[in-house]
Amino acid sequence: MELYSNISHVDKKVSRIFFGTQSNQMCMGQDSTEVLDSVVACGIQTLDTARAYTASEKVIGDWMKKRGNRNDLVILSKGGHPSAFGRKRINDTDIRKDLERSLKYLQTDYIDIYLLHRDDPDVPVAEICEIMNALHNEGKIGAFGGSNWSVKRIQELNDYAHAHDLIPFEVSSPHYGLAEQIGISWDNTCESITGAGKAADRKWYADTQIPVIAYSSLGRGLMSGKFTSNNLDDVYKYMDEPARKGYAYEANFKRLARCEELAKEKGCLVPQIALAWMFYQGMNVYSIISTTNPERMKRNLAALDIQLTPEECKYLNLED
Amino acid sequence: MEFSLMTLNLFFIIFYKYMLLHDKEELEENYEEMLDVISEAGFKYVDILGMEVDCLGIDYVKEQLDKHNLKVNSYMFSQQFAKTAADDAANRALDTEIINAGKQAVENAQNLGTKTLMLIPQVREDMSGMSKDEIHANMIRRMTPIVSYAKEVGITTVIEDTPNLQLHLCSTEDLKNVSAKIPEVRIVYDSGNMVLVDEDPVKYFHNFENEIAHVHLKDMQTTTNMQRRPDRGLDGRFWETAPSGAGVIDFKSICAAVKNSNFKGHPTIEFATSPEMSIPDALVASRVYFEKLWSEI
């Protein structure tokens, strides 16, 4: 698979792998020049951030200013996340407030891809569609869409957009990866398209080819290769509480064991197999990967070159 | 009984972001929302932190509290009361700085309309090289003039059995040692801190019954999550605030002891939430839990 692809209303090539900036280092506002330089040097010029990731946008903004490379990068940011006290914020005032702050901290006047970090099903899709189109028409955002939005709501919004000659949601960022999200990692407002119950959603994404910008693609560390299926005690060392709640289950450990087996056969690494699997599912998938180790990021890129047969894909996902 | 709410665990959520980005406008928006949530949860009193006033300014805090019909139950002032500076001259300068800040805290308390000022010793650095006597002497020397100044203007100053064991202020013996040497200082009874030194919360209440001028209702649970910066007990276990009623503290006995004592103020709930409950719901649950217990005694 090619490293770069196109997304409507983004006037640059978009790398299939996004660098996720929700690391402790970046959220805490620590200088991340070294890792950002390394990520870009290996060809990943698409960065994923959000207003809710505390100081991540500021770290990126300071780095872009220092390097003078804003126009070489594709920035994805998100707004409209519920407040720290749980108030829903999908409305014109709060979305604009978040976007203006994102622009300020990123030190830019536009964001290439802008997502609403959560949905609020009580707000009519028409209202949301009009807000996002207005922001696009003002030149502040390029492509837009939803993170953790259900297929049903995206389809409703896009039906409205098409009926009113407006731009629809052109990207979606749910959780997706080989590791099935079995328990609730964060809260029940997050949207995963893994597991048998979400087969219809995956078919919709395959039919529409709307870009799926998948987060937690490696099961929040489960498929990172840091620990092995024959030493599951390390789960507590390498996976935090949300990760364990979401992914530390027998079925996923079995998937991990099969990744290890196939990685050995093909002479590659577990995360490379897990990532490659995503790109063989018939959907238009992009993957957000976060690491503080530039070497590991370079190795992740090799996943794009790994060939998997349909049988191998089924075997990895326990469909044999 | 009208219970008060300590804002600490809510304010820290928004303060963290402010520390990283210094966006005062965003802090103000979040502070207003924090007070909305407290008010909507049915609280009429709050125990607020000096830090709130430092970040937002006293006029703004006052205006917001008035707007939300919230009264201040106590003003909590933190300083490095226990620290020893590099030499005598630096120590004297630190004494002056802390005492002046303490007097300002008295004036802030007055301005906010509360009659209770709590002095909290901070630990910003490792104090393991300091002796208990040295730590106690520093606290007594710096707190005494503040307590005296507060007394002159009708404000009662309270100290508690601080959970950071480096301060040697958690056991009954240590707290009595220090409080006995600060004329007019009174005690804020905290229902959770003494479990760190394996003392019984109800007995602890009775140990200080005649000196208690303020009450904190805090539940406690052990934890292995270091990200929450838990307190370490004498036996090495780590403890954190638990959602009210979910931890190890026997509130039925404690509330009975408080209700039957001379304490006639508003007990303060120290709040914690759980992943299963939203903050607004958890606030209501805390208040309702204590109201029910209180009414059944």
Side-chain angles (χ1 to χ4, degrees):
Chain A
M1 178 172 279
E2 295 291 323
L3 173 57
Y4 302 107
S5 182
N6 292 303
I7 290 180
S8 296
H9 293 106
V10 180
D11 59 5
K12 299 162 205 160
K13 295 280 184 188
V14 182
S15 53
R16 282 281 166 190
I17 294 186
F18 284 39
F19 179 60
T21 65
Q22 197 191 7
S23 63
N24 280 342
Q25 178 181 326
M26 293 187 68
C27 291
M28 293 287 290
Q30 292 162 10
D31 179 73
S32 301
T33 299
E34 194 183 338
V35 70
L36 288 166
D37 281 350
S38 309
V39 161
V40 169
C42 68
I44 297 169
Q45 36 59 288
T46 314
L47 307 180
D48 166 76
T49 184
R51 189 75 284 281
Y53 299 167
T54 326
S56 157
E57 289 177 322
K58 184 172 186 306
V59 172
I60 295 170
D62 290 346
W63 169 74
M64 288 193 304
K65 189 179 177 191
K66 187 159 64 177
R67 292 288 179 254
N69 61 359
R70 168 65 187 101
N71 290 329
D72 303 330
L73 300 166
V74 175
I75 301 292
L76 180 154
S77 193
K78 312 176 210 60
H81 194 283
S83 77
F85 304 114
R87 185 173 60 83
K88 290 178 178 176
R89 300 177 60 256
I90 298 296
N91 58 67
D92 188 60
T93 306
D94 285 322
I95 292 169
R96 282 183 180 276
K97 215 175 252 180
D98 275 0
L99 177 59
E100 291 304 328
R101 287 201 170 109
S102 291
L103 293 170
K104 179 176 114 184
Y105 290 121
L106 287 162
Q107 299 170 60
T108 184
D109 55 5
Y110 72 102
I111 291 173
D112 303 87
I113 305 171
Y114 195 67
L115 305 182
L116 297 177
H117 213 154
R118 292 288 190 281
D119 188 12
D120 177 355
D122 294 335
V123 181
V125 288
E127 189 180 323
I128 299 168
C129 187
E130 299 283 354
I131 295 168
M132 299 305 273
N133 271 268
L135 296 175
H136 174 86
N137 292 336
E138 289 163 26
K140 291 175 177 166
I141 63 175
F144 54 84
S147 174
N148 296 300
W149 273 57
S150 71
V151 160
K152 181 174 172 281
R153 284 274 289 177
I154 297 173
Q155 182 64 66
E156 279 174 22
L157 187 142
N158 287 1
D159 288 346
Y160 175 87
H162 294 309
H164 293 82
D165 205 17
L166 293 168
I167 301 169
F169 272 15
E170 289 174 320
V171 288
S172 171
S173 182
H175 163 256
Y176 184 58
L178 178 60
E180 182 182 348
Q181 190 178 302
I182 294 170
I184 295 173
S185 269
W186 298 108
D187 57 59
N188 56 11
T189 62
C190 290
E191 187 76 16
S192 175
I193 57 165
T194 59
K198 294 289 183 169
D201 288 358
R202 294 193 294 276
K203 184 176 181 308
W204 184 84
Y205 280 114
D207 290 346
T208 59
Q209 288 295 298
I210 284 181
V212 172
I213 301 171
Y215 68 82
S216 299
S217 307
L218 295 175
R220 289 187 62 84
L222 182 77
M223 301 285 179
S224 66
K226 285 182 186 168
F227 66 89
T228 58
S229 59
N230 59 17
N231 194 4
L232 293 176
D233 290 345
D234 281 354
V235 160
Y236 283 88
K237 190 170 162 189
Y238 292 114
M239 292 176 76
D240 60 13
E241 199 181 335
R244 292 196 301 272
K245 277 187 184 170
Y247 305 103
Y249 297 90
E250 191 52 42
N252 285 332
F253 296 143
K254 207 167 170 183
R255 289 184 176 99
L256 172 62
R258 291 185 175 194
C259 272
E260 289 164 354
E261 190 188 318
L262 227 57
K264 199 172 172 189
E265 256 177 48
K266 290 178 183 287
C268 59
L269 302 167
V270 166
Q272 292 171 339
I273 293 287
L275 283 176
W277 176 87
M278 292 173 63
F279 298 124
Y280 278 89
Q281 302 309 306
M283 295 184 286
N284 186 8
V285 172
Y286 295 74
S287 171
I288 302 170
I289 305 282
S290 184
T291 178
T292 49
N293 180 338
E295 277 311 305
R296 200 170 289 137
M297 195 52 128
K298 235 181 248 178
R299 292 199 295 264
N300 288 333
L301 279 177
L304 297 169
D305 299 325
I306 290 173
Q307 309 285 318
L308 293 174
T309 65
E311 291 71 31
E312 285 171 331
C313 286
K314 282 184 178 171
Y315 179 70
L316 286 168
N317 198 28
L318 317 180
E319 295 170 75
D320 53 331
Chain B
M1 170 57 70
E2 292 282 0
F3 290 91
S4 180
L5 181 80
M6 191 186 292
T7 56
L8 180 117
N9 284 352
L10 297 176
F11 186 71
F12 268 22
I13 297 171
I14 60 178
F15 177 70
Y16 170 71
K17 198 169 189 178
Y18 176 68
M19 281 302 285
L20 291 169
L21 295 172
H22 306 288
D23 187 334
K24 194 163 176 202
E25 188 184 275
E26 190 174 25
L27 179 70
E28 287 177 354
E29 286 167 15
N30 290 336
Y31 191 69
E32 271 198 61
E33 194 188 336
M34 179 187 96
L35 297 182
D36 285 343
V37 168
I38 292 172
S39 184
E40 284 159 15
F43 287 96
K44 296 191 175 72
Y45 293 86
V46 281
D47 290 54
I48 74 163
L49 312 170
M51 199 186 287
E52 289 169 57
V53 169
D54 293 344
C55 295
L56 293 155
I58 194 154
D59 291 340
Y60 177 81
V61 169
K62 235 180 124 177
E63 178 195 317
Q64 288 302 319
L65 291 168
D66 286 347
K67 187 175 151 190
H68 290 83
N69 293 317
L70 289 165
K71 293 189 177 69
V72 179
N73 193 39
S74 83
Y75 184 65
M76 303 168 70
F77 173 68
S78 301
Q79 260 294 344
Q80 296 192 82
F81 289 106
K83 181 181 174 169
T84 298
D87 54 42
D88 285 349
N91 234 0
R92 280 194 296 276
L94 186 61
D95 284 0
T96 306
E97 185 189 322
I98 290 174
I99 292 164
N100 286 342
K103 288 180 177 174
Q104 180 61 54
V106 172
E107 283 159 27
N108 287 350
Q110 263 189 307
N111 201 349
L112 290 163
T114 175
K115 295 277 182 198
T116 306
L117 171 70
M118 180 180 175
L119 301 183
I120 305 168
Q122 284 176 344
V123 179
R124 288 198 198 153
E125 51 210 35
D126 179 28
M127 300 179 81
S128 55
M130 292 173 68
S131 72
K132 185 202 285 195
D133 287 347
E134 183 184 358
I135 289 169
H136 283 189
N138 285 344
M139 288 194 284
I140 292 162
R141 191 175 67 253
R142 289 161 182 160
M143 287 179 176
T144 300
I146 300 170
V147 176
S148 166
Y149 182 75
K151 174 78 180 166
E152 283 171 24
V153 295
I155 292 202
T156 302
T157 311
V158 291
I159 57 172
E160 72 167 0
D161 50 339
T162 311
N164 188 321
L165 300 190
Q166 287 196 70
L167 290 163
H168 303 282
L169 199 57
C170 199
S171 69
T172 297
E173 187 189 346
D174 284 339
L175 187 57
K176 276 196 183 284
N177 269 343
V178 172
S179 64
K181 289 171 188 153
I182 305 175
E184 304 292 347
V185 79
R186 306 285 294 281
I187 300 300
V188 48
Y189 169 75
D190 184 295
S191 63
N193 290 345
M194 75 294 288
V195 301
L196 296 162
V197 289
D198 203 25
E199 288 200 44
D200 177 72
V202 179
K203 279 187 193 158
Y204 206 96
F205 181 85
H206 292 301
N207 290 344
F208 290 95
E209 191 161 348
N210 295 325
E211 297 158 69
I212 290 170
H214 205 64
V215 170
H216 289 172
L217 298 171
K218 176 164 75 173
D219 210 347
M220 295 286 271
Q221 63 191 7
T222 55
T223 181
T224 53
N225 189 338
M226 293 303 113
Q227 284 177 337
R228 294 186 193 138
R229 298 184 170 205
D231 293 307
R232 188 170 200 174
L234 267 187
D235 62 4
R237 284 186 296 169
F238 288 94
W239 293 83
E240 64 180 359
T241 309
S244 306
V248 301
I249 304 299
D250 171 14
F251 282 116
K252 198 172 175 186
S253 304
I254 288 169
C255 287
V258 175
K259 199 170 178 179
N260 294 324
S261 73
N262 291 327
F263 175 74
K264 297 298 170 221
H266 302 282
T268 301
I269 297 172
E270 285 201 40
F271 169 78
T273 186
S274 64
E276 292 75 34
M277 211 180 255
S278 70
I279 288 176
D281 289 348
L283 279 172
V284 173
S286 274
R287 180 181 57 75
V288 169
Y289 172 79
F290 283 111
E291 283 176 354
K292 187 168 181 290
L293 260 186
W294 198 266
S295 68
E296 286 169 356
I297 294 164

